[in-house]
Amino acid sequence: MDANLRKKALISGCLWMGLGHILYLKQQVKGALYALAELAVLFFIAFEQTAEGLALNFNGLIVKGVRGFITLGVFNPDLPVRQRDHSIFLMIDGLICFVILLLLIVLFVLSIRSICAITAHYKATGGELPGNKAFVRSMSEKAFPSIGLSPLVILLLFFVVLPILFSFFLAFTNYSYPDHIPPANKVDWVGFKNFVDLFGGGQSMWTTALGRVLLWTLVWALLSTACVYFCGMFVAFSLLNRNIRIAPFFRGLFILPYAVPSIISLMVWSNLLNGTFGPLNAMLKQIGIIKTNIPWLTDPSMAKFSMIFVNTWTGFPYHMLMVTSILTSISPDIFEAASIDGASNWKRNRFITIPMVLRQTMPLIIMSFTYNVNNFGAAYFLFMGAGASRGPSAADTVSTNANAVDIVVSWIYKLTLQNPQKFQYAAVLAVLVFVVLTPFAIWNYTRTKSYKESDF
């Protein structure tokens, strides 16, 4: 038995990925796959495609991508606009190169771990090395799930992780209209300047708008979540009352707001609540309840109330169904035992039903909270019928484009697709939302039964 097998395999594997498998571990197929992966990456590092052909000058696509990410291009006003460096494209190309290098590092770590596992098996069995047949058999049996999921992981890297990274790094640039829109102009790295501007670094107008939007986003998420949940719970409790003879009819009637697409419901309510031409004000005037129009969507306080009311109307049926399913699954023996002990109907609901429902639906509440933080439709489509301003204005609305009822996600939309097109500030807000909501998402996932019963 060769006592230095692990040392020689590790040294050769570090010099070239897969070389240890080929020379010492008798797994030429596995080693060749590792070696080809490294060779492909090194090829795009060392060789550049020129007019004369391939040139070995270590200026390949990956090198250009990393360099372009660092510099974001060179501004050359003498060139036509179409021929100038596009800073955003260079950033995306650089991120793709970094993802490829990250995959290579992961493969390198896996190859080293493979060498350690094979040499440990070699030592435990007294000199037995699993060959190519063992590798192929393990690929078809043990490693098959990993191989089957690898395309999905790669797609997630490029279509989920990459956009998140792009938004994160965009927050450290000056990408904005009109002076830093590529390719006519160049985008530059500015470090934490955007964060400083938004969080009290001299841009008082933007800091005030951010504080107002963040506060309303938090209040909106809490109130809307509480309203849709407890309204749904109340309706579910009411429809399970034995005195209601046609409960299925009412249950089907209450599910209609949830069955209709939310964007349609919001736009219908937008017209119903129009302060000038809306039928709701016209009806209230005709029956003598009001004399002047109520500014449902143009007064800040009334607009916030309207947002919560309409969101409750569209969202409570889902919670009603969830709570109903939980209530019907509770054993009647529990309530019979409580009745024998003298508990009233109110005490049975307070100490038995409600705690059990809350315990079962806590992940649903967290999910609803995170959804309402990003509930773009309620903050945007509801005010389509409120006039050109699309909602009540605030003191800084003209400059920041954030009205009195905008939440973070709707403000991000306006900053990117409407004036003033401050893409860098929108990226800062996107990073902020991601940082705040990620712990809730992780907590919600780790509370699921599928996670608790998994093997990892």
Side-chain angles (χ1 to χ4, degrees):
M1 184 174 68
D2 190 353
N4 295 322
L5 179 65
R6 171 174 289 195
K7 181 178 180 180
K8 293 188 291 187
L10 286 174
I11 293 175
S12 57
C14 291
L15 292 175
W16 191 280
M17 190 168 61
L19 190 59
H21 294 79
I22 297 174
L23 296 179
Y24 302 105
L25 303 182
K26 297 182 180 180
Q27 287 197 347
Q28 291 81 6
V29 176
K30 189 174 187 178
L33 294 175
Y34 282 131
L36 287 174
E38 183 173 352
L39 180 63
V41 174
L42 290 178
F43 174 83
F44 288 107
I45 291 176
F47 290 92
E48 179 187 15
Q49 181 67 45
T50 64
E52 292 78 17
L54 290 176
L56 180 60
N57 55 9
F58 291 93
N59 193 35
L61 292 176
I62 294 180
V63 175
K64 290 181 178 179
V66 173
R67 186 191 303 119
F69 179 84
I70 296 173
T71 64
L72 295 182
V74 177
F75 180 62
N76 192 344
D78 296 330
L79 291 176
V81 173
R82 294 179 177 270
Q83 298 180 13
R84 299 177 190 176
D85 291 337
H86 198 297
S87 301
I88 301 303
F89 291 170
L90 291 175
M91 180 186 293
I92 296 174
D93 292 342
L95 288 174
I96 293 175
C97 293
F98 281 120
V99 170
I100 293 174
L101 293 175
L102 176 63
L103 291 176
L104 181 65
I105 293 173
V106 171
L107 284 178
F108 178 79
V109 173
L110 291 177
S111 69
I112 297 300
R113 290 182 60 185
S114 175
I115 291 175
C116 294
I118 294 173
T119 52
H121 175 79
Y122 175 84
K123 183 178 181 180
T125 57
E128 179 183 349
L129 285 174
N132 292 319
K133 292 183 179 180
F135 167 67
V136 174
R137 185 168 58 253
S138 66
M139 293 287 285
S140 60
E141 296 175 0
K142 297 180 181 180
F144 180 77
S146 300
I147 297 173
L149 290 175
S150 57
L152 177 61
V153 172
I154 294 174
L155 289 176
L156 287 175
L157 281 174
F158 284 97
F159 292 101
V160 177
V161 177
L162 190 63
I164 293 175
L165 291 175
F166 174 73
S167 298
F168 175 79
F169 286 107
L170 198 65
F172 297 91
T173 68
N174 58 1
Y175 184 30
S176 60
Y177 180 85
D179 296 328
H180 299 284
I181 298 295
N185 301 101
K186 181 179 177 293
V187 176
D188 300 302
W189 295 107
V190 295
F192 288 92
K193 181 180 181 300
N194 298 322
F195 292 87
V196 173
D197 289 344
L198 284 177
F199 290 94
Q203 297 282 348
S204 59
M205 175 182 58
W206 288 93
T207 303
T208 302
L210 176 65
R212 173 170 52 79
V213 171
L214 287 179
L215 178 61
W216 169 236
T217 301
L218 178 61
V219 173
W220 151 257
L222 291 173
L223 289 180
S224 58
T225 301
C227 287
V228 296
Y229 179 78
F230 288 108
C231 183
M233 178 186 289
F234 174 78
V235 175
F237 272 73
S238 302
L239 293 180
L240 287 179
N241 194 316
R242 296 180 180 179
N243 295 325
I244 299 179
R245 299 295 182 181
I246 52 175
F249 168 77
F250 287 107
R251 193 174 292 114
L253 183 66
F254 288 145
I255 202 65
L256 289 178
Y258 183 70
V260 178
S262 59
I263 185 174
I264 296 177
S265 299
L266 290 169
M267 296 185 74
V268 169
W269 275 104
S270 176
N271 288 289
L272 289 175
L273 298 176
N274 186 288
T276 305
F277 307 104
L280 182 59
N281 277 342
M283 181 185 67
L284 294 176
K285 279 184 177 181
Q286 288 180 357
I287 60 180
I289 296 179
I290 62 173
K291 294 183 179 180
T292 59
N293 289 328
I294 299 176
W296 299 104
L297 302 178
T298 53
D299 178 75
S301 299
M302 290 302 302
K304 292 176 181 179
F305 169 78
S306 300
M307 278 183 65
I308 296 174
F309 171 77
V310 174
N311 186 69
T312 302
W313 185 83
T314 58
F316 87 90
Y318 174 75
H319 296 268
M320 178 194 69
L321 290 178
M322 295 297 103
V323 174
T324 301
S325 64
I326 294 172
L327 291 175
T328 54
S329 65
I330 299 176
S331 174
D333 298 337
I334 300 176
F335 300 104
E336 292 180 3
S339 299
I340 293 174
D341 291 338
S344 63
N345 187 45
W346 161 247
K347 289 186 176 181
R348 289 199 301 269
N349 288 331
R350 178 183 176 185
F351 295 104
I352 298 177
T353 309
I354 294 179
M356 293 182 69
V357 171
L358 287 175
R359 182 177 178 273
Q360 294 292 328
T361 57
M362 185 56 65
L364 176 65
I365 297 174
I366 300 298
M367 182 181 66
S368 179
F369 175 81
T370 57
Y371 169 78
N372 283 314
V373 170
N374 287 319
N375 194 344
F376 173 78
Y380 188 81
F381 293 111
L382 179 61
F383 298 94
M384 295 290 287
S389 62
R390 290 187 178 177
S393 298
D396 50 51
T397 298
V398 176
S399 301
T400 64
N401 207 6
N403 63 34
V405 292
D406 267 325
I407 58 177
V408 174
V409 65
S410 63
W411 194 24
I412 291 174
Y413 173 83
K414 291 180 178 179
L415 286 175
T416 53
L417 296 182
Q418 299 177 6
N419 289 328
Q421 289 189 320
K422 298 288 185 179
F423 300 102
Q424 79 278 35
Y425 290 163
V428 172
L429 295 175
V431 171
L432 180 64
V433 171
F434 177 78
V435 170
V436 172
L437 292 187
T438 297
F440 289 99
I442 294 175
W443 184 88
N444 195 33
Y445 172 68
T446 54
R447 299 284 295 179
T448 59
K449 188 176 181 180
S450 59
Y451 176 83
K452 294 179 179 179
E453 296 180 354
S454 60
D455 296 332
F456 51 88

